[in-house]
Amino acid sequence: MADGGARLRRVEHTMGTVFSFDVRGAGPRAAAALEAAAAWLGHVDEVFSTYRPQSQVSRLAAGTLALSACSPEVWEVLGLCEAAERRSDGWFSAGYAGGFDPTGLVKGWAVERAAAMVASAGADAVCVNGGGDVQVHGGPWRIGVSDPLRKGALATVVHAEGELAVATSGPAERGCHIVDPRTGRPPATALASLTVVCRGLTEADTCATAGYAMGDRARDWLESLPGTRAFAITADGTSWTTGTG
């Protein structure tokens, strides 16, 4: 990391969670990029929130907006969801009650884009944390992964440099909000948590979601993904990791 440049921090409350920015070695364009990245997160919430009746996703579900009239972002996310569903053999799904609910992908996608916006403005290192899912550029960074069975403790620490993302799925913070798409019920062999590490948070987030839905099938699937590492804690407190990817 270079010694020059300022350090900028910012916190945004949107999408029902908290986003934090940490920017090191910020040059003259970084403050404006940080402002734009924060505005981008707000825009994503306006377009994709399932809790806003006037969001495009809500209007799609209500049948008051045609897909053909949606913004380019909706089309992009739809394509990414379809790709994630194919990659996971259906364990990741943006279908909900017959409609389109991309909640399991949008936050990671938005954070990945926000981090890239700031990094492209010439900052030496950028870290964006969205509700515990993290995208970094540059570094070095140390990213703590919470222990789902010991409140306030860390299960592991990811040492990151360059372009890297860390996403965790599990019931510890929000209860069991991920279901088996084949049954609509919680996974039969639920993990306490599953953390996925790869280059981009869009992929890390969807892989963590799909892997958690798979339960004890996740390990072999995650081992097959290039450039991907995973760390899981089982319900009885044991853990497993995949290869270095």
Side-chain angles (χ1 to χ4, degrees):
M1 183 183 72
D3 294 331
R7 186 162 190 172
L8 303 176
R9 292 188 173 93
R10 179 166 180 152
V11 175
E12 291 291 319
H13 296 262
T14 189
M15 297 190 212
T17 191
V18 179
F19 296 82
S20 63
F21 293 80
D22 190 351
V23 185
R24 301 175 188 161
R29 297 185 294 126
L34 183 56
E35 189 71 29
W40 157 252
L41 294 177
H43 171 71
V44 170
D45 191 36
E46 290 175 358
V47 173
F48 291 98
S49 173
T50 57
Y51 297 99
R52 292 175 178 252
Q54 295 306 310
S55 76
Q56 292 187 35
V57 163
S58 292
R59 290 162 62 201
L60 271 173
T64 59
L65 179 68
L67 183 59
S68 60
C70 288
S71 66
E73 294 100 329
V74 173
W75 284 91
E76 180 180 350
V77 165
L78 177 61
L80 290 169
C81 287
E82 290 174 344
E85 186 166 356
R86 290 192 300 270
R87 183 169 62 245
S88 65
D89 194 25
W91 286 98
F92 176 89
S93 176
Y96 177 75
F100 175 55
D101 181 358
T103 304
L105 180 141
V106 162
K107 185 181 72 170
W109 170 76
V111 168
E112 184 175 349
R113 180 76 58 86
M117 290 168 69
V118 182
S120 66
D124 291 333
V126 178
C127 176
V128 183
N129 184 327
D133 295 333
V134 180
Q135 177 77 57
V136 302
H137 291 258
W141 299 99
R142 298 176 72 249
I143 303 167
V145 176
S146 296
D147 189 324
L149 304 179
R150 296 184 300 149
K151 189 173 180 61
L154 293 180
T156 190
V157 175
V158 178
H159 297 269
E161 190 155 7
E163 189 174 351
L164 200 73
V166 180
T168 299
S169 288
E173 297 296 327
R174 297 168 50 196
C176 189
H177 59 285
I178 299 172
V179 299
D180 182 335
R182 291 158 169 75
T183 65
R185 296 191 296 271
T189 54
L191 298 166
S193 72
L194 174 63
T195 298
V196 174
V197 181
C198 60
R199 183 174 180 178
L201 193 54
T202 307
E203 183 173 351
D205 205 0
T206 56
C207 287
T209 299
Y212 183 81
M214 291 179 190
D216 58 10
R217 309 181 192 190
R219 187 173 187 174
D220 288 343
W221 177 66
L222 290 163
E223 285 276 15
S224 74
L225 301 179
T228 302
R229 292 175 287 148
F231 170 76
I233 297 178
T234 64
D236 65 6
T238 60
S239 64
W240 52 258
T241 61
T242 66
T244 57

